[in-house]
Structures are given as structure tokens and as C-alpha cells.
Amino acid sequence: MLLSVPLSALNRVGKTTTQSLKKLGLETVSDLLLYFPFRYDDFSKVTAIEDVDAGQNVSIAGTIEMIQNKRSARQRRQLTEALVSDDTGLIKVVWFNQPFIAQNLKAGDKVSLAGKTAESYGQLSLISPQYEKIGSAGLIHTQGLVPVYHLSSDLSQKQLRFLISQALPATEKMTEWLPENLLKELKLLPLPVAIKQAHFPENIEEAQEARKRLGFSELFLRQLRSQSIKLELKNKPAPKIDFQEMMTRQFVQALPFNLTAGQKQAAWEILQDINREAPMSRLLEGDVGSGKTVVAAIALFNVAINKYQGALMAPTEILATQHYGSLLKLLGPFNVKIGLLTGSQAEANFDLPKTKKDRREKIISQAEIIVGTQALIQDYSIERLALVIVDEQHRFGVRQRQKLQQSGGGLWPHFLSMTATPIPRSLALAIYGDLDLSLIKELPKNRKPIITHVLPEEKREEAYETIRRQINTGRQAFVICPLVEESDKLGARSATTEYKRLKNEIYPELEIGLIHGRLKSAEKEKVMKDFADGVTKILVATAVVEVGVDVPNASIMLIEGAERFGLAQLHQFRGRVGRSEHQSYCLLLTSKDQQNPNTAERLQALSKYNDGLSLSKMDLKLRGAGDLYGRIQSGFPELRIASLFDYEMIKAAQKAAEKLIKEDPDLDNHPEIKARLSDNPENEAHLE
Ligand code: ADP
Ligand code: MG
């Protein structure tokens, strides 16, 4: 089997499954092999039936004595009941609504079963266990450490495990690309072995070994990329932006607040950097609400006075529009020409022609500061571009920068990336080795820590009252819902339903807004504007408000189904309130049916900690032992396998990369590695 084979060519993969796999980004055998589990269920011990107790997760092995389909008492559910025996006893097994199981398993079959036990009417049963016949093939669903993958609802764990086990032989086709001496020195597994063990480890040690190898490769590539970028950019020409002391002073004095020490320091570092003839590469890191926008404005202002152009790019239209608004307020009074460019908008604070195309072109050629979505701005060539600022988005490669070179002088623009992702300085340097770091440590003085409460469903009415009280004192509120529309499967309260309910039943006297990703951008804009202007008092939203939205008058946020979100994401949401001197609140509502005892503890961390760094550490600590690949929870999507807290591993990768680049700067003697260093960081995890 070849790595590039499309999954549709595999056994038992029809049209529907192909589609479902594609939703997870899985199209080839290689994609499948590199789709790692996020944890393992431990069925490494087979329990004798006589030792089974109620409420346990067990794996048993035995013989089917009888099996049959039944209708349940109320005729609602199809039941499949079986009796399974081993040398020590007999146990009842029940499955719901899966009548085909009685076709797959027959009396006399030897089976391995894994699942949860329960006691009902005094009888112990194994409820809806995973099952496998014992026989020819090795057991992958019910014994040992069983991998658990992140899935969309239309695929089952069993299906994916089956497909991956089918694809495993293809690992033999993977070439080892880490240098021999590194493998030896760091005691790393060969690639094919690591991939096999990541999916189907015999024990936790094997899983850890696999993760070590795969995590190292990931970090090593990242380090190599940073180092070669650094090397490549070192000798490129960039426009020198002179520090405009007088004007900058005036600007700062006109602000309605005093800059924090961190903001001043960061601005100063940036101004010094862009005053050089080599391109700046800098990361501005500051927790949500730390005031990065005003720092960006200072840099852009200096660029404009120097008669160059600056671009501020945001990941979404909402954010771009908001930045445009902020910059108009901050810099408009200083006669800076500012334009906004998104898929649907072309606005500016100077005269524009009628047609969209002409408007865009005039903005590109005349605006001193161009604000817009990254996707759009990137497609234009900006004649006097001297500074590119990217907000809340780290993916920006050298090729992308190269494209943005000034079409005239061939100068490389300075580059600033802004992020609220909480990473400690030492680690940020290790991971973004090519970027210098400016850190805004403190929040503006007037901020009070956000008071956060975790509330069960029964407290819903109280939560609504708390919101009402805030609104009565003149504040505004966010209500965040996990999904746009009701979906039975997940039972999550959808934004749309919730909006109607709040509007009609709970707060009929208040103006309420609704925003989600499926609205047209003109609608989104209107909704955001109404909320920013205080016309609507409550904004019901999906995850679209996660990053960057700035409405300082909003002082309370209610998050529905909070257990569905990772801590990092909840912290981002929460950062939408507490952006002014008003005491702010965050209410985390958990669903009735959520059963994981870990959840409450996890969410309590939010009421204890107000900073992102403590939270991400906590998140890591609360992951179970088998929970090795916490892609979703880590809140740090750049790394698929390694974690920010693999400090030793990061160091080792950095050292190894430095050494290699020194010996072989163009990597000509390491073609396999070179091939993996494509410029697109999206391809980061191409380990095969
Ligand atoms: P973020 O770092 O999350 O992007 P913003 O730049 O959106 O934060 O700033 C958050 C809010 O704080 C804005 O309303 C901004 O005007 C305000 N702000 C920024 N700096 C200060 C400061 N030094 N003192 C008081 N408020 C500030
Ligand atoms: Mg921001």
C-alpha cells in the first residue's frame, strides 16, 4: 500500500465514509496514519467475570452462550442481549439499537468485550461494550491501550481504528529522515515503529516512546524552519523608519489613558527595530485586554509620517472592521489616511470613487494604513509597504512576506505578529526562534480580575437575574453558545434557539442581538455596531467572538455548555469582558447531562486563575495519564504532538537544529529534511 493512496480506495470505504474522513482532513493513507489519538482507554488488564463489579470499565474475554434481539419494555428501543461466560462465571451483556450485532456474533463465538458495567434490578450487566471476535486478527478495540480519536459524529471510533489498522503496513514505506546519529543520541524510535506504537501501543511506555519521537520530529522541523528563515532574512534590505519623537509624544498624550510600562517598552522595541535597514521579525505577546492595538497604532503612525504604508491584517472581517474603527479613533485626528479592505468592504477616511474595484485600488495606492483581512490584502502589491502587522494569527511564512515586498524598491517590509496565546518567554523564543519577542506582562491598571462562577443548570434563573442587574446599571452582556443551530446529537443550546428564547421569554423588554459565522458580513457588521453603540444590551454569539472583539462596556458573559470548551478557549471568550474599570463577571453554565467529574475541577480553574499562563499549565495537569496528545485542549494549535511544556524536548530540538544549520546551511546534504521544510507552516506535521 502506498502512502499517497486515497482513502476511498481502501476496503469498506464508500462515498459517505470518504466524505466523513475528508471532514477530518483525512484524504490519503498517510493522512490517516498521522491522525493520532488524543488519549487511550486502558483495557490492558482482562478481568475475570467473577471479579467484575458495577460501575467499572472492564475488558473481559469469554464465550457467547446465547444472543438475541428484543424489544424493550416500552417498545421504544431494540435490545440485543447476550450471556457471556469464562472459566469463572457468567455475565449479561446489553446493546441498544444495534440489532445487527446479533448477526455478527453467534453462540459459541469467542469474544473480547470492553466497556462499562452497571447494575440494574440487582443484576450486573455490561452495557454497550465494544466487541471483537477473538480469532485471526489481533485485537484492537477491546484489549491493551485502545486509542481514542477526535471524531465528527458520523464516524465511529471502531471504524477509524479499523481503517488505521488496515493502513499500518504502509508505514514500511515511510523513509526515516532524521539523521542516524540523532536517533541514537536521543534514543528515538524509527518512524514506522513510532507511528505503529502511537496508534496501538502495548502499554503506556510504548505510547510515550512514540510520542517522544513524533514530538521531537515536529519540534526539530519547526526549529530548522525558524533558523533558516532567520538566516535568509538577515541580509535582506528593509525601509528605515525614523522615530518621530514629537508626533509620537503628542499621540501618546492625546490618549484617554496612560500607557502601561509593558506597552511603552514594547512600542520602544518595535520603533528601534523598524529604524534599522534589516527587516524586523517580532512577536508581540500580551494577554487578552493588555492593549496591543495601541502599540500597533504607534508603530503604524511612525510609518505613515515617514511617508511609507503599513498594513494591519486580521483573521476575520469582524476584527478587521473593529481595528479600522479603533485606528480611526486613535489616528484619524492626526490626519492619517486609513482604509479598510475586506471581502465585502472598501472604506476609507478619505474620498473614494464609486465602484468597488476603483475603491480598492485607491485604498491600496493612497492609504497610509490599510486594515483588512489577511486573505484579501495579501493579494495586492502595495507600493510603499514598510510594516505588516498580523493580529491573532501566527501562520505567516517567508514566502508570504516575500510576496509583500514593495513592488518598487524591492524592500522587505518589517513584520510584527500579535498574539494573546500565553507562552512563557523562554519557550516562545525556543518555538518561534526566528521572531524576537516583546511581552506586555501587565493589564492596564484600571482592570479588576473577572469574577468567574461555574454554575449547574439549576442556577440558570439566577444567572439571568445577575445579567439583568448588570444591564440595569448600564452595562451589556454576552451569551456564548457552542453551536449555531440545534443539533440533537450534541444537545447543545444553539445560538439561534437561545436568542429566540431570551428575546421572547426571558428579556422581552430588552434589545438583543445575534451573531454567528453564517450571517452575511454586512449583517455581522450591523449587529456588532449595534452592540458597540449600546443599542443592543445582550449579544448572543457563537465562537466568532472568541478573538479580539472589544466592547469595553460589556461586563458580563454567560457561557452555555461550558464543558465543551477547552480552558484556553474559555479564557479567550472571557477576555471579551473586563476591558474597562467596571467589575466584570463570567458565568459558566454546565449541562445537566454532562457526567465527567473532571469537568467541574477543570472549570473551577477559571474561577481561580485570571491569567492565561496559569490556565494552560492547569489544563495540562488535568489531562489524564493516557491523554498524551492534547491538541484541542492545549489551546496551541501550532503543535500537533509536542506540547509547549516539553521543555527538555524543545531544548534538544533547538540544539540539534542549530548544529545542523551550522554544518549544512542549505541542507544540501539532507535532502529528506529539506523537502519537509516547505514554507507553509500548515504542513508542519508532514512527518512521513
Ligand atoms: P488586546 O491586547 O486584547 O488586543 P486591546 O488592544 O483591544 O487589547 O485593548 C483592550 C482595551 O483596553 C481597549 O478598549 C483599549 O482602548 C484599552 N486600553 C489599552 N491600553 C490601555 C491602558 N494603558 N489603560 C487603559 N485602557 C487601555
Ligand atoms: Mg486584539
Side-chain angles (χ1 to χ4, degrees), residues 499-685:
Y499 163 73
K500 285 187 195 140
R501 219 172 56 81
L502 291 178
K503 193 172 134 113
N504 298 330
E505 294 168 30
I506 314 288
Y507 304 109
E509 76 284 13
L510 295 177
E511 288 293 325
I512 300 186
L514 169 68
I515 193 161
H516 55 71
R518 288 190 213 157
L519 290 184
K520 296 219 179 65
S521 41
E523 293 171 309
K524 278 189 209 161
E525 218 179 296
K526 167 99 174 52
V527 175
M528 279 316 295
K529 184 165 183 318
D530 285 348
F531 191 60
D533 293 347
V535 175
T536 39
K537 298 300 174 193
I538 300 180
L539 183 62
V540 181
T542 51
V544 290
V545 300
E546 184 178 355
V547 282
V549 172
D550 184 34
V551 180
N553 190 48
S555 67
I556 185 161
M557 171 175 283
L558 172 77
I559 303 181
E560 294 280 353
E563 73 278 358
R564 288 172 202 283
F565 299 104
L567 289 186
Q569 202 182 7
L570 289 169
H571 178 61
Q572 284 279 351
F573 286 147
R574 179 171 68 172
R576 299 311 111 215
V577 296
R579 298 172 83 83
S580 68
E581 73 279 9
H582 307 298
Q583 175 60 56
S584 291
Y585 303 85
C586 178
L587 309 176
L588 304 171
L589 266 184
T590 56
S591 315
K592 232 191 229 128
D593 56 348
Q594 69 84 19
Q595 294 168 342
N596 188 348
N598 214 345
T599 303
E601 194 188 350
R602 200 164 63 84
L603 294 180
Q604 286 302 342
L606 280 155
S607 45
K608 222 155 106 196
Y609 300 107
N610 253 290
D611 68 293
L613 189 56
S614 308
L615 280 169
S616 53
K617 279 186 185 154
M618 196 65 193
D619 216 359
L620 190 84
K621 217 169 84 191
L622 290 175
R623 267 193 246 149
D627 224 358
L628 291 177
Y629 302 88
R631 171 138 73 117
I632 299 243
Q633 290 195 1
S634 77
F636 194 72
E638 277 77 4
L639 294 177
R640 296 215 202 170
I641 302 160
S643 137
L644 279 176
F645 300 91
D646 291 327
Y647 192 55
E648 294 303 314
M649 206 197 262
I650 291 172
K651 277 284 169 212
Q654 188 175 22
K655 225 177 93 194
E658 266 166 18
K659 190 155 162 261
L660 188 69
I661 288 283
K662 217 180 204 166
E663 289 165 7
D664 185 11
D666 297 323
L667 296 173
D668 286 337
N669 301 324
H670 296 84
E672 291 100 358
I673 295 182
K674 195 169 179 169
R676 280 171 180 78
L677 284 188
S678 76
D679 189 50
N680 183 359
E682 298 269 2
N683 287 338
E684 201 90 308

Side-chain angles (χ1 to χ4, degrees), residues 2-21:
L2 287 171
L3 292 165
S4 57
V5 165
L7 293 173
S8 54
L10 297 190
N11 257 346
R12 294 208 221 161
V13 181
K15 260 215 184 95
T16 334
T17 313
T18 308
Q19 276 308 315
S20 315
L21 288 165

Side-chain angles (χ1 to χ4, degrees), residues 49 60 62-65 82-86 89-91 93 111 113:
I49 290 178
I60 64 169
T63 309
I64 298 204
E65 298 297 334
L83 285 174
V84 173
S85 69
D86 67 4
L90 196 67
I91 192 166
V93 183
V111 287
L113 302 168

Side-chain angles (χ1 to χ4, degrees), residues 266 270 282-293 295-296 312-313 315 319 323 389-395 415-424 428-429 431-432 435-441 443 547-548 571-572 576 612 635-638 644:
I270 293 164
R282 188 168 279 280
L283 179 67
L284 174 58
E285 184 191 326
D287 210 339
V288 281
S290 60
K292 297 183 287 290
T293 315
V295 174
L312 174 56
M313 305 188 192
L319 267 186
H323 278 320
I389 303 181
V390 179
D391 192 23
E392 306 289 2
Q393 189 134 8
H394 318 147
R395 297 183 192 95
F415 175 75
L416 180 71
S417 171
M418 304 199 288
T419 178
T421 307
I423 359 173
L429 290 176
I431 287 175
Y432 301 114
L435 298 182
D436 297 311
L437 184 68
S438 291
L439 207 60
I440 306 180
K441 278 212 186 104
L443 294 181
V547 282
H571 178 61
Q572 284 279 351
R576 299 311 111 215
F636 194 72
E638 277 77 4
L644 279 176

